[in-house]
Amino acid sequence: MVRLIVWLFALIAAVCAFPLTVDVAANDVECFYGEVARADSLVGLSYSVQSGGSFDIDFRIKAPNGQVIYEQLKEREGEYAFTARLVGEYQFCFSNDMSTFSDKQVEFDLNIDSALKAQLPPSVGQGETESVERTISLIEDRTNNILRQLHYYKTRNNRNESTVKSTGSRIFWFSIFEVLLMAGMSVLQVTIVQLFFTGSRKQLV
């Protein structure tokens, strides 16, 4: 029974934070909002640019009173945690104003006050309660480490894939330009040779 409770609360703690993906168009801003129900709640957010341009984006957090409490410019990824002093709606914005034509894909993970207290049955003793809490904390830490590693490898894979696609597109258009250049040079050479012989015949006459 105790093991079942441990796994249940570990699962709840793991699913409290989940990654979201958003596409931010060039010269555009995408904002998300998180509601803080009580003061002194712990708020954490991490993000990483998966594709687009140089993989950089502007990020800022605004409090319910409109004050900017955190700002990070032209970064590929970031992580920030703070204690929310004000109750209300916090704003999390990703800005792609610096880009004129390149869209960005951003994956972020928002967690608001995810520390849950395990409410164990009265039949469970104090010693068992502490043991369960330590086990839940250990499982949560290991789960978070695994999620961070998976997120890191996913980000690297997405960025490498975006780089390969961008390089392939550049090679394609460079090849088209090279073919057109060679065709133009061939036409120019034929035209010059024709003009040369045409001018020679006129001089003979």
Side-chain angles (χ1 to χ4, degrees):
M1 181 63 181
V2 175
R3 289 186 178 182
L4 179 60
I5 296 173
V6 170
W7 284 107
L8 177 61
F9 283 100
L11 180 61
I12 293 175
V15 300
C16 284
F18 53 91
L20 298 173
T21 303
V22 58
D23 294 324
V24 186
N27 297 318
D28 196 10
V29 179
E30 292 287 345
C31 292
F32 297 86
Y33 301 87
E35 184 73 24
V36 174
R38 60 184 179 84
D40 297 331
S41 296
L42 181 63
V43 180
L45 186 139
S46 61
Y47 71 92
S48 60
V49 182
Q50 303 293 315
S51 63
S54 301
F55 307 105
D56 58 345
I57 202 163
D58 297 341
F59 172 68
R60 62 182 54 90
I61 302 175
K62 287 185 178 180
N65 59 4
Q67 179 183 3
V68 177
I69 59 178
Y70 180 73
E71 186 174 27
Q72 197 170 30
L73 303 178
K74 295 182 179 180
E75 292 292 338
R76 295 187 168 191
E77 55 190 18
E79 186 173 356
Y80 183 66
F82 65 97
T83 300
R85 303 299 181 186
L86 300 176
V87 175
E89 199 172 53
Y90 285 76
Q91 185 183 64
F92 307 87
C93 292
F94 298 97
S95 174
N96 196 21
D97 285 337
M98 87 288 287
S99 180
T100 56
F101 60 89
S102 179
D103 299 340
K104 306 290 177 61
Q105 185 181 76
V106 183
E107 183 176 282
F108 67 96
D109 186 0
L110 176 61
N111 193 336
I112 299 179
D113 198 23
S114 64
L116 301 178
K117 296 295 184 180
Q119 301 295 329
L120 299 179
S123 59
V124 181
Q126 182 66 26
E128 294 182 358
T129 301
E130 294 177 356
S131 176
V132 169
E133 289 179 351
R134 286 195 300 268
T135 304
I136 291 175
S137 178
L138 179 62
I139 293 175
E140 185 178 2
D141 290 340
R142 292 182 177 179
T143 303
N144 289 334
N145 289 332
I146 293 174
L147 291 176
R148 289 192 188 96
Q149 291 294 327
L150 291 175
H151 180 70
Y152 170 74
Y153 288 118
K154 179 183 178 181
T155 301
R156 286 194 58 183
N157 179 70
N158 290 338
R159 289 179 179 175
N160 291 337
E161 183 179 355
S162 177
T163 302
V164 169
K165 289 181 178 179
S166 176
T167 304
S169 177
R170 292 179 182 179
I171 292 175
F172 172 78
W173 288 112
F174 181 78
S175 301
I176 296 296
F177 173 76
E178 186 178 12
V179 170
L180 294 176
L181 183 62
M182 292 177 61
M185 291 181 61
S186 300
V187 172
L188 181 61
Q189 289 177 353
V190 170
T191 303
I192 292 175
V193 171
Q194 287 179 347
L195 291 175
F196 176 76
F197 282 104
T198 301
S200 300
R201 290 179 181 178
K202 289 181 178 179
Q203 290 179 1
L204 291 175
V205 173

